[in-house]
Amino acid sequence: MTMDQVVHFDNQPVEVTIQDKPNFEQVNLINQLDEEDRNVVFKIIDTMLTKKKFKDFFNNNIAAL
């Protein structure tokens, strides 16, 4: 890199949000994380999905009573 490129760097890091991206791009971005960070993301998702399934299960069974 030239000194001018360093001083006037155009490709500065920007905030990344995955919420409004297509599913395949969301997965690609998650896969760019370090393995430990990626595992944390997947554990959070697993926990949230499990919580939703339990909530749905209890709501459906309470409605049946």
Side-chain angles (χ1 to χ4, degrees), residues 22-38:
N23 291 344
F24 70 91
E25 192 172 346
Q26 290 175 342
V27 173
N28 286 337
L29 288 169
I30 291 170
N31 283 329
Q32 292 177 15
L33 298 172
D34 293 336
E35 183 177 356
E36 185 177 334
D37 292 338
R38 190 171 49 249

Side-chain angles (χ1 to χ4, degrees), residues 10-65:
D10 290 333
N11 295 326
Q12 295 181 7
V14 294
E15 181 179 337
V16 177
T17 57
I18 66 171
Q19 187 171 358
D20 297 326
K21 298 199 183 309
N23 291 344
F24 70 91
E25 192 172 346
Q26 290 175 342
V27 173
N28 286 337
L29 288 169
I30 291 170
N31 283 329
Q32 292 177 15
L33 298 172
D34 293 336
E35 183 177 356
E36 185 177 334
D37 292 338
R38 190 171 49 249
N39 287 336
V40 169
V41 169
F42 288 135
K43 285 179 183 178
I44 291 170
I45 293 170
D46 289 345
T47 301
M48 301 303 277
L49 290 170
T50 301
K51 180 180 173 183
K52 182 185 180 329
K53 288 190 180 260
F54 272 105
K55 183 178 176 182
D56 292 346
F57 174 79
F58 287 122
N59 286 338
N60 289 338
N61 285 329
I62 290 173
L65 294 176

